[in-house]
Amino acid sequence: MAENYTDPSGNTEAFRAFANPEAPAEAASRTGLIVAAAVVAVVLVALATWLAFG
């Protein structure tokens, strides 16, 4: 056995990834965060434009 071998049962996250390789990697929670950040950026740009030209 190689020295750099890591037993997938060593921690829960690694074991779950080993036991169920087709599971999504929590992409849904990051998508919501990205959408929220984009909305905040649009609001800030609109506010800055309104202050500059209003």
Side-chain angles (χ1 to χ4, degrees):
M1 194 177 302
E3 288 185 26
N4 62 355
Y5 175 76
T6 303
D7 184 14
S9 65
N11 68 31
T12 304
E13 184 179 355
F15 178 73
R16 286 181 180 163
F18 173 77
N20 191 7
E22 297 178 11
E26 298 184 25
S29 63
R30 293 196 63 170
T31 302
L33 180 64
I34 292 171
V35 169
V39 168
V40 169
V42 167
V43 169
L44 289 176
V45 168
L47 181 63
T49 303
W50 180 68
L51 288 173
F53 298 111

